Amino acid sequence: KAGVTQTPRYLIKTRGQQVTLSCSPISGHRSVSWYQQTPGQGLQFLFEYFSETQRNKGNFPGRFSGRQFSNSRSEMNVSTLELGDSALYLCASSSGTAGANVLTFGAGSRLTVL
Amino acid sequence: GIQVEQSPPDLILQEGANSTLRCNFSDSVNNLQWFHQNPWGQLINLFYIPSGTKQNGRLSATTVATERYSLLYISSSQTTDSGVYFCAVASSGNTPLVFGKGTRLSVIA
């Protein structure tokens, strides 16, 4: 069974630009969650999509957005990049079933904002 | 929201030693997972353990839900065990997992 695939793995952007990250979940998984990891704040929840609907949302500004397609693949977008957006962005997929929501993470997309 | 505290924050072990990592949480949970993050950033799920005890090779975990803590045991540690261990919990339904700050483990030969 293929794992969770995130692309791109590394990217460098400058302040003010926007970026789109992609996540392909494990086949059959309907839930995709996104987390931001920084040395100062640790792992912080961004949002979760289940069957193309945003089911949960973390405490991030509106510059951070996402969506999920009918094949469960998900994208997240960050507009007007700031230096503080430099981070490892991790995507996780799961069945999405309450009480058995085991997350499997991708390798991450490491974003550097200059 | 629910709070997660992990201890110790850092741990250095000689190869072959045993260790216990602790995770305290502030509310009842219906989901608790332990993860290992390797030096390349990959998060690997070790255990899904909202209650009870599980073992997988040299690793085992115990969650005492009524007392709001979980323990991860690593026996006969190897250098490949190095990395950061995270505990993550969710309190109800489909609420997202909240991560602790992790325990950074260094195993030296």
Side-chain angles (χ1 to χ4, degrees), chain A:
Chain A
K1 204 181 209 184
V4 180
T5 304
Q6 291 190 245
T7 56
R9 290 292 315 281
Y10 302 91
L11 64 167
I12 299 173
K13 295 285 187 178
T14 56
R15 278 180 300 175
Q17 288 188 310
Q18 66 104 22
V19 66
T20 299
L21 309 178
S22 178
C23 174
S24 293
I26 290 171
S27 178
H29 282 185
R30 295 165 64 189
S31 169
V32 173
S33 300
W34 290 89
Y35 285 81
Q36 181 197 64
Q37 186 176 27
T38 59
Q41 299 299 317
L43 277 149
Q44 292 189 287
F45 173 75
L46 281 157
F47 27 66
E48 180 209 3
Y49 288 87
F50 179 80
S51 294
E52 302 179 65
T53 301
Q54 188 179 82
R55 186 161 68 173
N56 288 294
K57 187 178 189 305
N59 189 24
F60 278 81
R63 300 185 297 108
F64 292 80
S65 63
R67 59 179 175 169
Q68 187 179 33
F69 302 95
S70 58
N71 62 357
S72 292
R73 188 178 71 86
S74 177
E75 290 181 347
M76 67 162 283
N77 183 79
V78 187
S79 62
T80 320
L81 284 166
E82 301 177 359
L83 296 179
D85 297 332
S86 294
L88 179 65
Y89 290 87
L90 291 160
C91 159
S93 81
S94 69
S95 64
T97 304
N101 209 18
V102 179
L103 297 190
T104 301
F105 280 87
S109 293
R110 191 170 295 278
L111 170 65
T112 301
V113 182
L114 302 176

Side-chain angles (χ1 to χ4, degrees), chain A residues 9 35 37 41 43 45 48 55-56 88 90 96-103 105-107 110, chain B residues 30-31 33 35 37 40-45 48 50 86 93-101:
Chain A
R9 290 292 315 281
Y35 285 81
Q37 186 176 27
Q41 299 299 317
L43 277 149
F45 173 75
E48 180 209 3
R55 186 161 68 173
N56 288 294
L88 179 65
L90 291 160
T97 304
N101 209 18
V102 179
L103 297 190
F105 280 87
R110 191 170 295 278
Chain B
N30 72 344
N31 191 338
Q33 295 173 43
F35 295 90
Q37 188 168 41
W40 297 272
Q42 175 77 58
L43 270 170
I44 305 295
N45 187 294
Y48 166 76
F86 290 99
N94 285 310
T95 54
L97 284 179
V98 175
F99 281 75
K101 292 191 180 302

